[in-house]
Each structure stands twice: as C-alpha cells, then as structure tokens.
C-alpha cells in the first residue's frame, strides 16, 4: 500500500511535529501533577507549566488534524494538493510561531514583569486560560489557518468532487478558524470576557472539533473496513448534525454562574444534557460497521478508531453529563470534577482520534502494506489504563473537595493539602504510566515501515 | 451523494437554526450585563489588566473558571480584610508563611487595583454562586444553642481566616487550642487593637461592644 498522491506526504511532517509536542505535553503534565504536592519544586511556577501542558495539547491536536486533512483531501478529491510549497511554508511558519510562543511563556514565567503592555496588548502571555498566546501570535495563527484552508479549498476546486466527508471536514475547520476570532479582542468587563472566551473554548471542543472528529471517523471506517461511502456519510450527517443541535446551545452550561442572566440555567441544562446522544450514536456506528468487516489488515488502526468512539462517549459524554445540570453544577463547578472530565474527554475525543488517523494513514505514507501492531496495542493499554486511573483519582479528589469545601465549608487549602494528598500522589504514579505508553507510541511511530515484518508478527 | 441530500440539508440548516438562536440570546445577554454588575471604573479595568499581566488565572479560578490549583477569588474581598489582601499580593509569605503563592513582583499600586477589581467581581450577580456551605453555616450544630461568644465569632466572619477544629480558613493562626496559650487580658486587648499585641498584624479590630468582646474572649478561653 502506498499513497496515491505524492503531495499527501506533507501529512507526515505535521504528524511528527504533533507527536513531539504530545511528548512535551505529557512530560510537563507530570511536573504539574508533582506541583500539586510540592508547589516550589521547579523554577517555573504552576501557571507556566499548566499553560505549556494545555497549549501543547491544543497545538498538537490541531497539527494532527491539519496533517490528516492534507492526507484526506487529495484522496477524496482524487488529485494532488493545490500547492505543496504553500503547505510546506504553512508547516514551517506554524512550527516557528509555536516555538516563539513557547519561549515567550517561559520567559514570562521566569520574569513576570517582562510581560509588558505593547500596543494595548500583553507581549508574552495574555493571561487568559487556554488562549494565553499573545495577540501577535493570534494573528500569525489566523494567517496560518487561512493559508491551510485556502490550499485545501483550491485542491477541492480542481476536481470539484464534493464528497460529504471532505465537505464536513473543511466545514468543521472553517468554523474552527472563525470561532478563534471571539477570543481576539479585549473587554473591560470580566463577565463579557468570560462570555466570549467560552464561545472560543466551547464552540471549538464541543462544536467544530466534534464535527471534524465525525468526518474523520467516517473516513477511517470507510478505509479500514470498506463500508460503502453512502452509508458512512449518512450516519456522519446524523452524528455531526446532532452534535451541533445539542452543542451550540449546550454552550449555556458555561453561563450559569459567570454573571449572565438566569435563563441560561434552562437553556444550558436542557441542551447540554442531550450532548451525549450523538456520541453514543458514534459508538454504535463504529461497532455496527466493524462487525461487518471480514478482513482487516490494519488491526492497530481499527483498535484505536473503535476506542476513540468509546472514550469520546465516556469522557466527553458521561463524565460531562454527570455535572452538567445546574442543581449539581452549583456544588461541583470549579472543583477537580471538571479537571477529571477535561482529561478523559480530551483523551477519548481527540488524543485517540489523532492517534487513530495516524495509524490508519501512516502505513500508506511509509509505503508498507502491513506492520507489526504489537507495539501499538502495548502503547494503547499503557495509556488507556493509566488515563482511566488518572481520571478516577481526580474524580475522587473532586468528590472529596465538593463535599468538604462546598458542603461542609472547609477551607480550600486545607482540603487540597491534606484530605486530597493521596489522590495527588496516585495521579503522579499513573501519569508516569501514561508517559510509558506515549514513549512506546513515539518509538512505534518512527519504526513503522522501517523494519521488516515477519510472517508470525503479521496481524 | 444524491440519496444523502435530505440528511445533509437537515444538518446544515438545522445547525444554522440553532446558531441563529445563539446569536439572539447573545444580544439579549450583552444588553442585560450592565444591570447585573456595578459600573466599571478606570481602577476596576486597571485591576483587570494587572490580573491578566500576572496570569492569575494560571492557578486561581474566578467565577469558578480557571486552573483549580489555588482558591477561587470570586468572593475573596467579602471574606478577607483588605490590608491582609494587599500585603499578601505584594509578598504572600510575609503575612502567611505557609502560603504556596510565590512573590510575583506585584507593585503596591497594582495590588490596590487588583483589590478594586476583585471587589467589583464580588458584587456581580452570579445567580447565587458560590453556594453557602450547608454544614458550616448551620447554627446550633448538634441541637445545642450557641453561646453569645460563638454567635459573635460566626457573625463577624472570623472563620474566614481562622480555623477551629478543622473548620475555617488557613490564612490566620489556628484557634483550636488558643485557650492554652493566651490569657483573658491578652485576648480582650487584642480584639480591640490587634497591632498593639501582634506587631504587623493584618487583622482588623473586632467591631462590637465591650460586653460582646468579653463574651468572645470567654469563648476563646474554652478552646483548650
């Protein structure tokens, strides 16, 4: 198996950048977990480490999705990418911009006064959770994403094969680009600040990103088990449609307590309670189609794809819905329960998605028909078991915190430093387990297609 | 794909329909925000700028959103005295040796602005969040009538900073065994004028009549 179009090769650069940042993300994640026990362990404070942990995550997932798009669009359009030099320029511009932003975060962490005001905006760190990147970097990110979208739209225009998969994929990516804009202006009111900030955060991860996930899931099921396009695309429309019907107004579950009107308790409560439904349909879709499969050559790809569907539902769906009703959220809001949900949701919905698409497309990119899937499965179990336990420890910490701090009225610091100490210790241990899984994955990524496969190892 | 046209159109137009509803609600919400919070003065805005400059959200939460690593600051100015907050912001360990917060180099005028900003935050109508803790707020725990001193301890908000038997704040000394270490005269005088007894104290004087302060002192003496 090889790639049909030479330009698809550009996907591999994005994948490599993506998984290196994945490694960085998990390494700093372990440091952050240790800082819950010893806050002063490193010269960089928790805020810098956490910013690196989450920004690395967002960027590596986006880079993975971009790589996937450069692979999927030529295949769906049955032609070469419109401009390979432009794709390469966009890749290196992204790498440079991301590196500059990371250096800025570290600089600001070492010397907060360096975060000076330039043209009305902060030079190194905007001080807004998740979207800390300064305004100059925002502009570079927007330019990079626009070049990326333009290049792929031009590819599609060459043959005008408007398949549902690539239409939905590019549609999701366009919404993603547009939804970055509400985070790019300053407001004097902290209420308004958080209001628009949630547009970016929520309409990305519970909107545009889930649409992209739906399109990529359809593509992978088609490639892995050879389901008819008409069938996968029909279910893809049902899934991404329900994602947006519930998710757009599900935004209301972030507007309960930030100073916005009370009607959001009704809007958010009702719509966000329905958000797990499309994720459950995706699980059913994955099982239904793979049951029909007779011969599967890419066992690892299939494994990760089905796991993505399951953990998307468990992490984003179930772990979200348990605290989404205002009556519950009133007590759990702002506790570790949210952290637990965040970890399992991102692992299931997006980490496994990007790793799946890498396993589905990498054999062709490396020009091999088969590869030994034992390392892929080993890495999968190390990561998944560790993540499940990380999430259970944080959920436990969140339950203790909710009861002791919110219901009993104990002090935040007392609960964190004494009653929850063992949860933090276990989280570090399972964090190291997760790192082992990632290391195995990274090794596998660089080895696939570069070592011989014996007959016994096949499958 | 011809046969999927119906479901595709349902996806596109259905999503647009819900997005339009979101836009309408957004306009309505934005028009109602000024009525749900005090006016934003230049100092409030300067405090917000300083809030962003030091990346406070990288550890703390505000309105429950943020990093869950340090306390939520939505109602902080209702709980802690301003003098304490100012000194804490400038050099946390100088007023609370056990504090995890590092000295960030916050300047005195920035500390003042951040406090004004946090006071504004505390007055925002958050639909009653954070909720009042059920157990700590209950009067007459265990069916016993509270003494006058205990009632004053609760109503003055002493437990926002001090702790007794594990309930209360951690920013001021623990009072669980205070009856062993301080006598009546010291406690009474200290309540009336804290800095005279503890140099550099960030505690405000207890505002109550001498009779009430005596009852509070009696209560402290029972803590052994």
């Amino acid at each position: 198996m090889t790639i049909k179009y030479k330009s698809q090769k550009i996907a591999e650069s994005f994948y490599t950048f993506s998984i290196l940042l994945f490694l960085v993300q998990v390494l700093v994640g372990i440091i952050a977990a240790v800082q819950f026990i010893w806050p002063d362990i490193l010269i960089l404070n928790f805020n810098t480490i956490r910013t690196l942990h989450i920004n690395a995550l967002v960027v590596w997932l986006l880079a993975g999705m971009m790589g996937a798009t450069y692979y999927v669009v030529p295949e769906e359009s049955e032609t070469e990418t419109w401009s390979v030099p432009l794709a390469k320029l966009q890749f290196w511009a992204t790498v440079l911009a991301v590196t500059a932003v990371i250096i800025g975060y570290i600089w600001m962490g070492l010397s907060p006064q360096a975060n000076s005001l330039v043209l009305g905006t902060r030079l190194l760190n905007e001080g807004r959770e998740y979207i800390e990147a300064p305004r100059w970097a925002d502009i570079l990110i927007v330019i990079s994403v626009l070049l990326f979208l333009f290049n792929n739209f031009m590819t599609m225009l060459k043959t005008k094969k408007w398949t549902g998969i690539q239409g939905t994929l590019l549609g999701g990516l366009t919404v993603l680009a547009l939804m970055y804009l509400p985070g790019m202006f300053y407001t004097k009111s902290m209420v308004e600040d958080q209001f628009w900030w949630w547009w970016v955060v929520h309409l990305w991860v519970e909107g545009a990103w889930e649409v992209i996930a739906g399109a990529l899931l359809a593509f992978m099921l088609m490639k892995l088990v050879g389901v008819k396009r008409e069938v996968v695309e029909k279910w893809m429309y049902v899934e991404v449609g329900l994602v947006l019907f519930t998710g757009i107004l599900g935004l209301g579950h972030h507007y309960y307590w930030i100073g916005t009107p009370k009607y959001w308790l009704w809007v958010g409560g009702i719509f966000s309670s329905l958000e797990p439904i499309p994720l459950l349909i995706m699980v059913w879709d994955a099982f239904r189609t793979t049951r029909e499969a007779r011969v599967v050559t890419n066992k690892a790809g299939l494994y990760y794809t089905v796991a993505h569907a399951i953990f998307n539902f468990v992490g984003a769906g179930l772990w979200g819905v348990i605290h989404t009703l205002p009556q519950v959220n009133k007590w759990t809001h702002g506790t570790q329960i949210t952290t637990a949900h965040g970890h399992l949701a991102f692992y299931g919905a997006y980490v496994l998605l990007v790793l799946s698409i890498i396993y589905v497309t990498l054999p062709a990119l490396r020009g091999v028909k088969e590869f030994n899937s034992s390392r892929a499965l080993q890495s999968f179990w190390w990561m998944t078991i560790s993540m499940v336990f990380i999430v259970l420890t944080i959920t436990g910490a969140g339950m203790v915190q909710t009861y002791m701090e919110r219901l009993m009225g104990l002090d935040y610091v007392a609960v964190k430093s004494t009653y929850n100490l063992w949860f933090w210790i276990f989280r570090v241990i399972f964090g190291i387990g997760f790192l082992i899984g990632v290391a195995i994955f990274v090794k596998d990524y660089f080895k696939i297609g570069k070592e011989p496969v014996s007959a016994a190892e096949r499958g | 794909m011809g046969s999927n046209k119906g479901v595709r159109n349902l996806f596109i137009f259905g999503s647009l329909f819900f997005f339009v509803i979101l836009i309408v609600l957004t306009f309505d919400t934005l028009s109602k925000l000024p009525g749900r919070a005090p006016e934003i003065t230049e100092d409030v805005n300067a405090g917000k700028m300083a809030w962003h400059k030091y990346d406070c959200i990288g550890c703390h939460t505000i309105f429950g959103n943020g990093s869950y690593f340090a306390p939520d600051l939505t109602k902080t100015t209702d709980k802690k005295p301003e003098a304490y907050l100012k000194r804490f912001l400038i050099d946390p360990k100088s007023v609370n040796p056990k504090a995890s917060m590092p000295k960030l180099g916050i300047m005195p005028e920035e500390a003042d602005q951040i406090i004004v900003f946090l006071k504004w935050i505390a007055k925002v109508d958050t639909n009653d969040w954070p909720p009042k803790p059920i157990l700590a707020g209950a009067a007459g725990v265990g069916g016993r009538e509270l003494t006058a001193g205990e009632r004053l301890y609760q109503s003055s908000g002493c437990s926002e900073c001090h702790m007794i038997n594990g309930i209360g704040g951690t920013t001021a000394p623990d009072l669980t065994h205070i009856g062993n270490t301080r006598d009546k005269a010291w406690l009474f005088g200290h309540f009336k004028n804290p800095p005279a007894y503890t140099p550099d104290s960030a505690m405000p004087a207890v505002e109550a009549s001498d009779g009430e302060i005596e009852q509070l002192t009696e209560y402290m003496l029972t803590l052994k």
Side-chain angles (χ1 to χ4, degrees):
Chain A
M1 202 160 96
T2 50
I3 40 173
K4 291 191 194 105
Y5 307 96
K6 239 176 33 229
S7 53
Q8 285 176 298
K9 196 78 183 159
I10 189 77
E12 210 181 325
S13 307
F14 282 90
Y15 290 166
T16 306
F17 180 54
S18 176
I19 66 157
L20 291 178
L21 279 178
F22 182 23
L23 199 58
V24 171
Q25 186 222 339
V26 175
L27 279 171
V28 293
I30 291 171
I31 298 174
V34 172
Q35 285 179 321
F36 264 79
I37 307 163
W38 294 292
D40 307 324
I41 197 152
L42 196 75
I43 186 156
L44 289 170
N45 294 318
F46 177 82
N47 65 320
T48 306
I49 297 297
R50 184 185 191 262
T51 301
L52 292 173
H53 179 60
I54 290 174
N55 280 247
L57 167 76
V58 173
V59 174
W60 85 256
L61 293 175
L62 282 177
M65 289 179 197
M66 283 183 177
T69 308
Y70 279 120
Y71 184 94
V72 171
V73 170
E75 192 134 326
E76 292 282 293
S77 288
E78 296 175 21
T79 182
E80 295 286 350
T81 292
W82 184 69
S83 166
V84 174
L86 184 64
K88 281 187 177 158
L89 172 82
Q90 188 243 326
F91 172 73
W92 285 109
T94 308
V95 173
L96 274 177
V98 170
T99 311
V101 172
I102 290 175
I103 292 170
Y105 289 157
I106 295 172
W107 184 15
M108 186 265 181
L110 295 171
S111 142
Q113 294 300 338
N115 194 21
S116 54
L117 207 57
V118 177
L119 299 172
T121 63
R122 293 284 160 201
L123 180 65
L124 305 174
N125 182 327
E126 252 182 44
R128 297 175 77 206
E129 195 191 3
Y130 312 145
I131 50 172
E132 289 93 347
R135 194 62 43 82
W136 56 264
D138 288 345
I139 294 163
L140 290 179
I141 292 165
V142 169
I143 293 172
S144 165
V145 172
L146 287 180
L147 289 178
F148 160 78
L149 286 174
F150 174 72
N151 205 354
N152 283 291
F153 271 121
M154 292 308 281
T155 311
M156 288 164 70
L157 273 178
K158 272 164 74 181
T159 56
K160 299 199 174 67
K161 290 191 190 303
W162 304 113
T163 71
I165 287 176
Q166 66 173 349
T168 308
L169 180 63
L170 265 289
L173 289 161
T174 308
V175 176
L176 182 152
L178 288 175
M179 285 308 124
Y180 194 62
L181 304 178
M184 281 180 63
F185 54 86
Y186 180 81
T187 56
K188 287 184 175 182
S189 159
M190 194 64 189
V191 178
E192 217 175 300
D193 189 306
Q194 290 205 355
F195 182 87
W196 289 115
W197 175 78
W198 276 120
W199 266 59
V200 182
V201 177
H202 176 94
L203 294 179
W204 268 31
V205 298
E206 288 167 64
W209 287 32
E210 286 283 2
V211 172
I212 295 164
L216 291 178
L217 178 66
F219 178 80
M220 292 190 291
L221 290 175
M222 203 171 71
K223 291 289 149 186
L224 284 166
V225 290
V227 204
K228 267 171 64 189
R229 174 182 293 277
E230 239 175 315
V231 180
V232 275
E233 288 194 343
K234 182 179 82 186
W235 284 106
M236 175 191 71
Y237 284 131
V238 171
E239 289 153 7
V240 296
L242 287 174
V243 160
L244 293 183
F245 298 173
T246 58
I248 290 174
L249 291 178
L251 174 59
H253 67 179
H254 301 295
Y255 294 160
Y256 296 161
W257 326 115
I258 66 163
T260 35
K262 213 161 195 167
Y263 57 72
W264 285 109
L265 270 64
W266 285 96
V267 178
I270 291 168
F271 282 91
S272 68
S273 298
L274 301 172
E275 281 187 57
I277 294 172
L279 309 185
L280 187 61
I281 297 177
M282 287 183 191
V283 176
W284 172 77
D285 198 10
F287 275 109
R288 179 183 50 85
T289 37
T290 52
R291 224 184 8 242
E292 291 163 5
R294 296 285 176 268
V295 194
V296 177
T297 38
N298 191 337
K299 198 174 153 196
L302 186 68
Y303 215 85
Y304 273 80
T305 307
V306 174
H308 150 71
I310 294 171
F311 281 99
N312 188 9
F313 170 67
V314 176
L318 290 186
W319 244 254
V321 88
I322 51 168
H323 59 131
T324 202
L325 285 176
Q327 296 88 331
V328 178
N329 192 263
K330 179 180 175 182
W331 300 100
T332 58
H333 177 59
T335 67
Q336 293 291 328
I337 297 279
T338 316
T339 319
H341 162 55
H343 278 78
L344 199 56
F346 269 88
Y347 179 67
Y350 303 117
V351 171
L352 285 175
L353 173 77
V354 172
L355 300 191
S356 313
I357 195 88
I358 288 177
Y359 273 120
V360 171
T361 59
L362 199 60
L365 285 165
R366 296 271 165 84
V368 289
K369 191 167 184 301
E370 289 175 330
F371 63 97
N372 180 357
S373 57
S374 68
R375 254 195 314 255
L377 300 188
Q378 211 186 344
S379 141
F380 172 80
W381 286 114
W382 270 104
M383 287 194 291
T384 302
I385 292 173
S386 304
M387 182 51 77
V388 165
F389 278 99
I390 289 171
V391 169
L392 289 178
T393 58
I394 312 177
T395 305
M399 288 164 72
V400 168
Q401 187 188 3
T402 302
Y403 183 74
M404 294 191 131
E405 187 193 340
R406 293 285 157 75
L407 269 71
M408 287 175 68
L410 266 64
D411 185 68
Y412 171 92
V413 176
V415 177
K416 183 189 166 204
S417 60
T418 50
Y419 301 104
N420 268 337
L421 182 63
W422 278 101
F423 286 117
W424 308 144
I425 293 170
F426 279 115
R427 172 162 69 172
V428 174
I429 294 169
F430 294 118
I432 292 165
F434 194 85
L435 179 66
I436 293 171
V438 178
I440 298 169
F441 169 76
V442 173
K443 185 178 175 197
D444 201 31
Y445 174 82
F446 287 108
K447 288 269 183 182
I448 283 178
K450 290 171 184 173
E451 56 188 4
V453 183
S454 71
E457 283 171 334
R458 282 207 184 105
Chain B
M1 290 293 116
S3 62
N4 281 334
K5 214 170 173 181
V7 63
R8 187 194 70 189
N9 287 345
L10 183 69
F11 156 56
I12 294 173
F13 293 106
S15 304
L16 282 174
F17 170 74
F18 285 104
F19 194 71
V20 168
I21 296 182
L22 176 63
I23 301 274
V24 172
L25 290 176
T26 294
F27 273 105
D28 182 72
T29 297
L30 292 178
S31 73
K32 290 197 166 82
L33 290 187
R36 299 175 59 89
E39 197 198 339
I40 301 168
T41 62
E42 275 315 302
D43 273 351
V44 172
N45 184 46
K48 183 173 182 279
M49 300 276 276
W51 168 270
H52 291 305
K53 175 182 171 187
Y54 292 100
D55 189 29
C56 306
I57 202 98
C59 291
H60 291 277
T61 52
I62 197 159
F63 300 139
N65 293 317
S67 302
Y68 323 108
F69 185 74
D72 185 82
L73 301 180
T74 311
K75 300 287 178 191
T76 288
T77 52
D78 291 352
K79 294 177 179 174
K80 312 277 179 185
E82 209 175 308
Y84 171 84
L85 285 177
K86 182 167 181 182
R87 286 173 51 188
F88 188 89
L89 282 165
I90 295 167
D91 185 3
K93 290 186 174 66
S94 76
V95 275
N96 182 2
K98 282 187 286 180
S100 299
M101 181 162 148
K103 190 176 172 179
L104 294 170
I106 297 174
M107 290 172 272
E109 65 272 21
E110 288 178 323
D112 287 332
Q113 290 161 346
I114 291 174
I115 291 168
V116 173
F117 165 68
L118 290 174
K119 277 184 175 168
W120 181 87
I121 290 284
K123 290 196 189 77
V124 171
D125 178 357
T126 55
N127 297 330
D128 297 325
W129 193 89
K132 299 246 180 313
I134 295 170
L135 298 176
V141 181
R144 179 177 61 84
E145 190 74 4
L146 295 178
T147 66
E150 284 172 325
R151 277 203 301 276
L152 184 62
Y153 181 84
Q154 289 203 353
S155 64
S156 306
C158 306
S159 67
E160 298 294 1
C161 298
H162 294 281
M163 185 179 279
I164 296 175
N165 292 330
I167 293 189
T170 48
T171 47
D174 188 315
L175 302 177
T176 309
H177 304 294
I178 193 74
N180 289 332
T181 50
R182 300 291 184 200
D183 61 21
K184 193 173 172 178
W186 191 96
L187 286 165
F188 186 85
H190 174 261
F191 286 141
K192 298 204 58 131
N193 184 14
Y197 288 76
T198 314
D200 246 21
S201 173
M203 176 170 149
V206 178
E207 284 171 33
S209 69
D210 281 7
E212 286 172 316
I213 291 179
E214 197 156 325
Q215 287 164 333
L216 185 61
T217 307
E218 291 299 331
Y219 171 44
M220 291 294 118
L221 291 171
T222 66
L223 300 170
K224 295 193 178 199

